[in-house]
Amino acid sequence: MVGCCFSCSLWFLLCLAALFIVSSESALNRYQFDVQVKNVSRLCHAKPIVTVNGRFPGPTIYAREGDRVVVNVTNYAQYNLSIHWHGLKQFRNGWADGPAYITQCPIQSGRSYVYDFNVTDQRGTLWWHAHILWLRATVHGAIVVMPKRGVPYPFPQPDAELNIVLGEWWHKDVEVIESQANSLGVPPSLSDAHTINGKPGPLFPCSEKHTYAMEVESNKTYMLRIISAALNDQLFFNIAGHNMTVVEIDAVYCRPFSTHALLLAPGQTTNVLVRTNQVPGRYFVAAKPFMDVPIPVDNKTATGILQYKGVPNSVVPSMPPLLSKNDVGFVKSFNDKLRSLNSPQFPANVPLQIDRHLFFTVGLGRDPCPTCLNGTRFIGAINNITFTLPTVALLQAHYSRISGVFTRDFPDRPPTVFNFTGAPLKANLGTKVGTRLSWIPFNSTVELVLQGTNLVGVESHPFHLHGYNFFIVGRGIGNFDPDKDPASFNLIDPPERNTIAVPTGGWTAIRFRANNPGVWFMHCHLEVHTTWGLSTAFLVENGDRPEDSLLPPPMDLPPC
Ligand code: C2O
């Protein structure tokens, strides 16, 4: 009896140990996402919003590099929707990427879909969000990918970590706002508040319950994982009395630098280290918009509180110096400091030989619209093409060779050359509507210059590419000069990310290797511009080997 117990428990322990060894290799992380409508109150108003598991922001996905993540999404809301895992590369597995009508049809009300993916060769802070209509306003949350077990960060280990999700809040139902604006052809109403972890803070009415506070201990190092889930506003972020050391952008380690403020475009993430070495007190954390042209913007400041342990709530927090909304000087110097870490362990593998040079004009225009308020409506266009979503998912059409859904003739350059950033032309250049994809052979190296245009005005467009990170090798104001500008490209340690703001009235050059087969959406991450068609997609072909080919679709892929 005793012997049996002994040997049984020995076996049990051995099994446990074996399990642990296996799980330390790679683990399976399962989540259940119930998409449901919940009544939420902010700024003295209550309204029903679409949430995941009733939470706003939604739950955080935790995984380690190399893990498998399985998220069963069940849709109890009245809208059909899909979820995108922003910044996860989804190697060969576009089926789990999520943009509606690009890689999948949306999950219908009452149905489920399982997103099943591996987190390969990346670690850091990313986020997930609904990828249809404007639902991502409330349907979003953090993704934290830890390094593999036993692998340290390439910077001093923080004592603790906190997630900070920045957002935008509307009193009205965002879907009503979006559809009204679309039918009138005018820009939608501005948000009513910005939020920090879902809360606007004490500069707004009814703030008692709606202020995010993080309690910290003195003389510790905190890592803040900051995510911009804002819809339409680029946001400055700073903390009274504390500098931040930037160590990671878009889940890529970067060369550390110290700064008093950050800028995050919608879609971007930034990890910073903060040393709590100030007089114990209460310090405001602030998020407010950056807008460097006379376009209306929600200029309100969201605040949270960094609170040292033991300091009573009666202490009035100090406010950080707020940047003015058009502080282009700060933005330029901040961007100049962003570099890849480019260490032996985390090299910057910038493509040096380029197979394909693309030049895309990106901007807004105006099209005739007899039923609209001014007889015109705003449109977005890339190389004069306004993207229209198909009614069948592009990836499915590509995989199953369904014809008539898209063409693969998206032009490598605009149809006409003009002074792209000169005086506004007040209209457009005969924009064509279409679902045209840029066709890229497997493993080609691509250089893409995103050139802002001034048709109805300039502004900064934050472009996001699905399925890839890219290197930002150059940027400038005015028109890109293919003869001169490449000479100043940074091919050594350019920043690597998945979302980049093209400067107002300027250009940005990015490079990537097209080694991930599938259909990958690329769009302005200002939701208002995505709605207007400021997007396109790449069709990256399979390679010759099976391991370089798109995986087959899962059985439960939602039907249209
Ligand atoms: Cu974060 Cu296509 O989006």
Side-chain angles (χ1 to χ4, degrees), residues 34 153 200 326 362 365 436 520 538:
D34 287 338
Y153 296 128
N326 59 355
V362 299
R436 295 164 68 177
W520 304 106
F538 289 101

Side-chain angles (χ1 to χ4, degrees), residues 84 86 127 129 131 464 466 521 523 525:
H84 169 50
H86 181 120
W127 63 300
H129 62 80
H131 207 302
H464 171 47
H466 289 227
F521 203 30
H523 59 101
H525 215 284

Side-chain angles (χ1 to χ4, degrees), residues 489-503:
F489 282 179
N490 175 2
L491 303 176
I492 309 290
D493 60 356
E496 179 184 345
R497 37 190 348 164
N498 62 53
T499 305
I500 182 65
V502 179

